[in-house]
Amino acid sequence: MKTFDYVKAQSPEAAVAATGPEAQFIAGGTNLLDLMKLQIATPAKLIDISRLPLADVAQTAGGGLLIGALVTNSDLAANAQVRAAYPLLARALLAGASPQLRNKASVGGNLLQRTRCAYFYDTVMACNKRAPGTGCAAQGGHNRNSAVLGTSEACIAAHPSDMAVALLALDAVIVTLNPDGDRRRIALADFHCLPGATPATETVLRPGELITHVELPPAPAGMQMYRKVRDRASYAFALISVAGAIAVEGGVITSARLAFGGVGTKPWRDAAVEAALIGKAPTTAAFEAAADVLLSTARGHGHNDFKIPLMRRTLIATLRDLTGGK
């Protein structure tokens, strides 16, 4: 680990004012500290935001929730309002990491965690996300955990977050504070970037911009579910995950929200998949048609080819459970 300056911020405004070249915010540090030990992240300055007053969950005037960026994953999963109105979020949080990590990991940090691609963590291997222009060793290497949607010739790394997938299905909005004092609202659907030719650019955050809150609209109609398929029962990243909220009235699907993890280079949502379900009876044929839409652009890279049929089966099973369909 390289040496760095350390600043303990006393307010959100002071935190963004302290930023500069090669400065990074730190809260729980469950990902950043690992990256610093491996010298993948080498900030010249760490700005400690862990004591800022951003650890509350409050109801909004519109009936949604305003979640502070420093709320821990454990506290958010245990929150009574979250469990009652947004159970898919609680389940996604509990499916992620270990209890010890959930006790430290923050909402804001979870949204910003880096990929777990083995080549990103191996500093002797080519990785455009870690070292732009060096290539992507995963393309011809062991890529079992890599993405099949949203990939490019420069990067096939999968996004690791469970929480972000659930928040995406819930139409979450990110609230930020800029060094100039302005606040910005960013739909989570627009927050993470596709890799394209510049995979090192992972979000639309500007230099020195701080996530302060995540805002949720009122709870969606219908049943909610988060299903995660992984190699072992705990402390494992998703091979496939589905976050869904589906409403059925009069024998047809009237609303659908679906987001996917483990398969995309960012938390994945495709409006065409949801549109394919609206107005349809909850039947296997309708579910298969939605899966066809989702996977129409999916591309395996060898070791991860299995993710495509696994995603199909998982989506169909999840839709059956959410709708009582056959």
Side-chain angles (χ1 to χ4, degrees):
M1 183 182 293
K2 294 185 177 181
T3 59
F4 55 88
D5 293 332
Y6 173 81
V7 176
K8 187 184 296 183
Q10 302 301 317
S11 68
E13 292 75 15
V16 296
T19 59
E22 300 184 49
Q24 286 190 246
F25 301 117
I26 186 168
T30 56
N31 187 205
L32 178 56
L33 288 177
D34 286 341
L35 297 175
M36 290 175 66
K37 291 173 185 176
L38 294 170
Q39 295 190 21
I40 295 170
T42 56
K45 179 195 291 185
L46 281 186
I47 303 167
D48 187 347
I49 61 171
S50 62
R51 294 167 181 81
L52 299 184
L54 300 173
D56 294 323
V57 179
Q59 192 160 16
T60 65
L65 285 185
L66 188 66
I67 303 165
L70 295 180
V71 176
T72 66
N73 287 184
S74 291
D75 286 348
L76 189 59
N79 182 274
Q81 292 170 295
V82 171
R83 291 169 64 89
Y86 310 96
L88 74 86
L89 174 57
R91 291 168 186 162
L93 287 160
L94 293 173
S98 65
Q100 295 90 340
L101 287 172
R102 292 196 297 268
N103 287 341
K104 289 293 292 180
S106 66
V107 167
N110 191 305
L111 291 169
L112 296 173
Q113 65 179 302
R114 311 293 302 276
T115 183
R116 265 50 181 197
C117 177
Y119 297 103
F120 174 75
Y121 278 85
D122 188 343
T123 56
V124 303
M125 302 300 293
C127 174
N128 289 316
K129 189 178 286 289
R130 171 175 36 79
T134 59
C136 175
Q139 298 274 7
H142 185 72
N143 49 44
R144 183 173 183 270
N145 293 322
S146 298
V148 297
L149 290 168
T151 59
S152 72
E153 292 304 312
C155 184
I156 61 173
H159 192 276
S161 176
D162 291 289
M163 184 197 75
V165 174
L167 290 176
L168 183 59
L170 294 170
D171 291 329
V173 172
I174 312 281
V175 183
T176 68
L177 177 65
N178 290 292
D180 58 11
D182 290 338
R183 292 191 178 272
R184 191 158 67 121
R185 292 168 53 81
I186 309 164
L188 182 54
D190 300 325
F191 182 73
H192 294 98
C193 301
L194 290 171
T198 56
T201 301
E202 296 180 339
T203 75
V204 298
L205 285 179
R206 300 165 184 165
E209 192 169 14
L210 173 68
I211 297 174
T212 61
H213 297 86
V214 172
E215 185 174 327
L216 292 179
M223 295 287 291
Q224 297 180 33
M225 175 176 290
Y226 185 77
R227 172 168 277 152
K228 180 176 181 178
V229 180
R230 48 190 164 177
D231 284 325
R232 57 180 185 270
S234 65
Y235 195 41
F237 294 100
L239 295 172
I240 296 293
S241 67
V242 181
I246 305 286
V248 179
E249 295 180 17
V252 299
I253 297 170
T254 55
S255 68
R257 298 187 190 183
L258 293 164
F260 307 92
V263 289
T265 51
K266 68 175 187 173
W268 200 260
R269 189 173 179 183
D270 185 341
V273 178
E274 298 166 6
L277 292 166
I278 303 298
K280 304 294 195 303
T283 64
T284 297
F287 303 157
E288 288 178 343
D292 287 341
V293 174
L294 172 65
L295 298 170
S296 62
T297 60
R299 176 191 169 200
H301 302 275
H303 297 104
N304 70 344
D305 291 351
F306 74 96
K307 285 192 174 187
I308 297 174
L310 179 60
M311 183 76 262
R312 173 180 293 276
R313 294 194 299 270
T314 304
L315 174 57
I316 292 170
T318 302
L319 290 172
R320 282 185 181 135
D321 289 345
L322 283 168
T323 63
K326 299 180 180 179

